[in-house]
Amino acid sequence: MKEIKNIVRSRAQESSSAVEKLYITMRHLFNRGFYKPMGVSGDTLREALLSLRPEIYGTIAEEKVELNGLLYVIERLPIGIEECRFINLTSDEGYSKSHFTAIVPPKRKRNCYRIDDEQMNVEITRGRSDIYDILTHLTFIFIESHKIKHNVLIDETGEVTRDWLKLEQAVLQNKKLSLVDREKTLSHTANILGRTFAEVMDIYDSFGNADKPDRFLHVIYWLGKLALEEAMGGTKRTVTFSPILRERLGHHIHGEIWATNIKQVLKENDLLNRPIHIISANMHSVMNSIFATHVHKTKFKDKTDFFIYEELSKSGAHDLRNKVEEFAKQHGMISLPDASGTNIDVQIFDTAKIDWKKSAFAGAKIDEKCPPVIIVMDYAFGEQAYETIDELLKPYKESKDKKTLLNVVSVSIMGKAGILEGGKGDIMIPSAHINEGTGDNYPFENELTAEMFEGNGIPVYAGPMVTVLGTSLQNKDLLKFFHDSTWGVIGLEMEGAYYQKAVQSASKIRKSINPDVKVRYAYYASDNPLETGSTLASGGLGTTGVKPTYLITIKILEQIFNL
């Protein structure tokens, strides 16, 4: 009789299972309409997140409070959310026309509204990926809040430690702390968090801003306070999904409005029948690549183009950027700030109006009888990439009987991604996108190749990339499996498979655009999640990202301009 093998699941398999469980659970809770994150209904979500132990959430599974992960999450949630017991996820339901002031998190474009002392409304206009992002972040901060509660609650009667009383005293006095008072309070806070005084000091200023320099203490206090009140039988924190959101989600409502606005502007400017090149990038690299060197040639005499781009990317360079924008608008650029709720701004470049001698592409070879139009769209978020590109590639309905097909020649995607070999600022050229959690994969003929980028002092990697369901849900075991196995994945991002799915369906099945549409994908590395200290929670790229961003943009434009 054969001996039955004792099959042990690897950490990668456990992680994969945890990711699947997270997404099934989140969709179930969304359909249900509400849940209590630290109650029975939130159990599965918490267990799955603790089983997964994503790199970005650091020490989530340990007793000490995770500080870098907390900073990463707090920068992506609205200011004041730590004080709120009730978090209501809504669609765009008219709050912008009320007396409520929109609160926009520093690192994530989403409109949020503080309804009263206990409730925060968060507008979801970017699809399911936005919901997954928020729910995982909320689950993380609530888990951390219960660690704080555990460290300060002495017994069941509600008696708390002296450290907690001192923190409470400092926060409730509502005035800026002197250096001495701040350091005294931080000493108590370090005990509460299970961290050293030095660790707390190091991260303290990153939480603060000009209006609230002591915000770190405020966040820790309110997270702990609400967890303490829950433990003592008080009202449990609750996440709800508005009926309108549940009704609208998945119907491309915001994407359709967004795409129709663009097509109307093309029609008004007599550009609808021209060859169209779509670029997904940020709102400065295409504009600056074409015009910046000419606009600032006297100010930055004898400086390289990349030096000028770095100067333009600095936080205080508003005047320099405004000059380039003004010049671009006089030479064929139309700016379309978003009014649809997608949070995706757009620029349209009519190349017929560009004076090539006053640009960085003096040798551009374009068809003068039918010059191309470039549509630059800001970054989409996860599944939103499918919604927006799918709608944009559909014919323009001018009337009931008249439809105009768009002559889309190419779709180019330039984005940030995590890299699995190499470091921050390196370049990745994908040959296929693999959709995490499904068997879906999208091979394509990339017009960009690794060879095009060699000789610029930046390492370049080519191979398949994985489109993940959320950057905050990745851990080393899962990523090592993708990298080391026959998948041979070089990096991870959140939109690639969704873009390619939309392009393929429009070109190969629906035939609404040219079946031979060219695609270009290139990414620069924002982090390496396989390296401790190099995850997204370790901070931004700074100027490291400037050279690869512009190098990719220039290579895309050189192909469009036939250089």
Side-chain angles (χ1 to χ4, degrees):
M1 193 174 161
K2 271 190 177 178
E3 188 182 335
I4 297 169
K5 280 187 179 177
N6 182 22
I7 298 167
V8 180
R9 288 201 308 170
S10 68
R11 268 295 294 150
Q13 287 168 323
E14 285 175 10
S15 302
S16 184
S17 173
V19 169
E20 193 178 356
K21 194 180 285 186
L22 274 163
Y23 283 94
I24 291 167
T25 305
M26 284 192 272
R27 292 182 95 139
H28 162 71
L29 294 172
F30 173 75
N31 290 332
R32 183 182 182 218
F34 75 97
Y35 79 105
K36 294 176 179 173
M38 299 312 289
V40 176
S41 51
D43 275 351
T44 313
L45 217 49
R46 295 198 309 275
E47 285 166 14
L49 203 60
L50 289 167
S51 166
L52 185 62
R53 298 198 292 279
E55 295 306 309
I56 218 153
Y57 294 149
T59 57
I60 185 173
E62 296 175 26
E63 282 185 25
K64 57 187 177 185
V65 172
E66 166 56 33
L67 298 181
N68 285 325
L70 187 60
L71 175 62
Y72 177 85
V73 167
I74 285 295
E75 287 178 330
R76 284 153 181 81
L77 292 172
I79 289 172
I81 199 164
E82 67 276 4
E83 300 173 15
C84 297
R85 280 189 180 82
F86 303 100
I87 294 151
N88 186 24
L89 305 191
T90 73
S91 179
D92 180 356
E93 297 175 20
Y95 287 100
S96 58
K97 298 177 180 69
S98 68
H99 76 280
F100 295 112
T101 305
I103 306 167
V104 181
K107 296 285 180 76
R108 190 74 88 223
K109 284 185 185 175
R110 50 170 72 110
N111 291 333
C112 310
Y113 300 93
R114 184 75 179 264
I115 304 303
D116 54 37
D117 289 347
E118 294 193 313
Q119 183 178 332
M120 180 73 76
N121 280 14
V122 181
E123 263 183 19
I124 304 292
T125 55
R126 307 178 78 176
R128 285 194 184 90
S129 296
D130 220 5
I131 292 177
Y132 301 154
D133 189 59
I134 289 167
L135 293 191
T136 49
H137 287 345
L138 290 176
T139 304
F140 166 72
I141 65 168
F142 292 161
I143 287 171
E144 297 303 302
S145 76
H146 273 242
K147 290 184 193 175
I148 297 167
K149 179 264 300 179
H150 180 72
N151 291 344
V152 301
L153 192 59
I154 294 171
D155 58 32
E156 293 170 5
T157 63
E159 191 180 343
V160 290
T161 61
R162 178 172 178 269
D163 289 319
W164 179 255
L165 295 173
K166 291 292 182 183
L167 171 62
E168 185 172 54
Q169 185 184 336
V171 170
L172 295 183
Q173 68 184 30
N174 276 328
K175 64 178 185 182
K176 188 179 175 183
L177 297 175
S178 67
L179 178 64
V180 173
D181 286 341
R182 185 202 302 169
E183 291 190 349
K184 282 180 183 175
T185 309
L186 282 183
S187 173
H188 295 298
T189 309
N191 286 341
I192 291 168
L193 302 177
R195 292 285 180 176
T196 65
F197 180 73
E199 285 174 319
V200 176
M201 281 287 284
D202 283 346
I203 205 157
Y204 189 83
D205 288 334
S206 304
F207 276 81
N209 54 37
D211 298 330
K212 291 188 173 182
D214 302 312
R215 185 163 180 239
F216 174 74
L217 299 176
H218 192 273
V219 168
I220 299 301
Y221 171 71
W222 279 97
L223 286 178
K225 178 180 165 65
L226 295 188
L228 278 168
E229 288 177 3
E230 276 191 29
M232 301 312 297
T235 309
K236 279 189 161 51
R237 284 166 287 189
T238 306
V239 175
T240 52
F241 306 91
S242 81
I244 305 296
L245 174 66
R246 290 158 69 202
E247 181 186 303
R248 285 179 178 175
L249 195 76
H251 294 296
H252 290 201
I253 286 166
H254 299 288
E256 187 179 355
I257 297 166
W258 175 83
T260 304
N261 288 346
I262 295 168
K263 290 167 196 172
Q264 281 170 347
V265 171
L266 292 173
K267 172 75 177 166
E268 287 160 15
N269 289 273
D270 203 24
L271 304 173
L272 201 58
N273 296 304
R274 296 260 213 83
I276 292 170
H277 297 270
I278 298 167
I279 303 176
S280 172
N282 49 53
M283 286 290 98
H284 53 78
S285 56
V286 172
M287 177 179 73
N288 288 346
S289 295
I290 298 173
F291 299 113
T293 46
H294 172 77
V295 172
H296 293 299
K297 64 183 177 187
T298 49
K299 182 174 177 63
F300 296 109
K301 205 175 179 182
D302 304 325
K303 297 291 184 185
T304 66
D305 291 355
F306 288 109
F307 178 85
I308 297 171
Y309 303 144
E310 275 196 23
E311 290 300 306
L312 285 162
S313 299
K314 290 179 178 172
S315 56
H318 303 296
D319 291 343
L320 294 177
R321 288 196 289 270
N322 290 344
K323 280 182 184 172
V324 179
E325 192 171 345
E326 282 307 308
F327 187 84
K329 284 177 178 174
Q330 290 160 18
H331 292 80
M333 186 183 91
I334 302 163
S335 183
L336 289 179
D338 179 60
S340 67
T342 58
N343 280 312
I344 298 176
D345 296 336
V346 170
Q347 293 163 338
I348 297 171
F349 293 84
D350 177 1
T351 59
K353 293 182 180 175
I354 295 175
D355 181 345
W356 295 105
K357 289 172 188 168
K358 294 179 180 177
S359 78
F361 299 91
K365 300 180 186 75
I366 60 166
D367 183 350
E368 290 185 12
K369 289 180 185 173
C370 197
V373 172
I374 300 171
I375 298 173
V376 181
M377 58 180 280
D378 208 345
Y379 299 121
F381 187 70
E383 286 186 34
Q384 188 191 31
Y386 177 74
E387 176 179 336
T388 47
I389 291 287
D390 184 56
E391 292 296 332
L392 187 55
L393 299 181
K394 286 179 182 176
Y396 175 49
K397 274 189 183 177
E398 297 186 54
S399 63
K400 270 190 178 180
D401 307 317
K402 191 179 179 188
K403 282 183 185 177
T404 305
L405 294 169
L406 271 62
N407 179 14
V408 178
V409 181
S410 74
V411 178
S412 306
I413 312 299
M414 186 274 287
K416 279 193 301 191
I419 196 166
L420 300 182
E421 48 182 302
K424 287 187 179 186
D426 293 354
I427 289 173
M428 288 161 280
I429 308 296
S431 56
H433 287 296
I434 301 152
N435 214 344
E436 181 189 39
T438 71
D440 301 351
N441 49 79
Y442 301 89
F444 47 82
E445 194 69 41
N446 196 342
E447 295 295 311
L448 299 173
T449 64
E451 289 73 34
M452 291 176 186
F453 293 89
E454 285 170 0
N456 289 288
I458 298 175
V460 188
Y461 300 89
M465 291 183 70
V466 63
T467 298
V468 297
L469 296 160
T471 49
S472 57
L473 291 179
Q474 304 315 304
N475 72 6
K476 283 184 181 177
D477 305 294
L478 201 51
L479 296 175
K480 272 180 79 66
F481 164 74
F482 273 123
H483 180 255
D484 297 344
S485 70
T486 50
W487 284 113
V489 163
I490 58 166
L492 63 144
E493 47 72 58
M494 277 186 69
E495 293 81 27
Y498 300 115
Y499 281 126
Q500 188 59 24
K501 180 164 72 167
V503 171
Q504 280 182 198
S505 63
S507 61
K508 309 291 187 203
I509 301 168
R510 301 163 97 162
K511 305 285 195 270
S512 57
I513 61 167
N514 182 350
D516 297 320
V517 63
K518 288 178 164 58
V519 292
R520 304 180 189 91
Y521 291 92
Y523 299 89
Y524 61 94
S526 56
D527 64 301
N528 185 332
L530 291 181
E531 283 182 15
T532 304
S534 293
T535 65
L536 281 170
S538 66
L541 273 168
T543 54
T544 315
V546 173
K547 188 172 181 181
T549 299
Y550 281 92
L551 193 57
I552 293 167
T553 307
I554 289 162
K555 293 297 178 190
I556 291 170
L557 291 173
E558 282 177 352
Q559 290 197 357
I560 293 171
F561 300 147
N562 297 309
L563 285 168

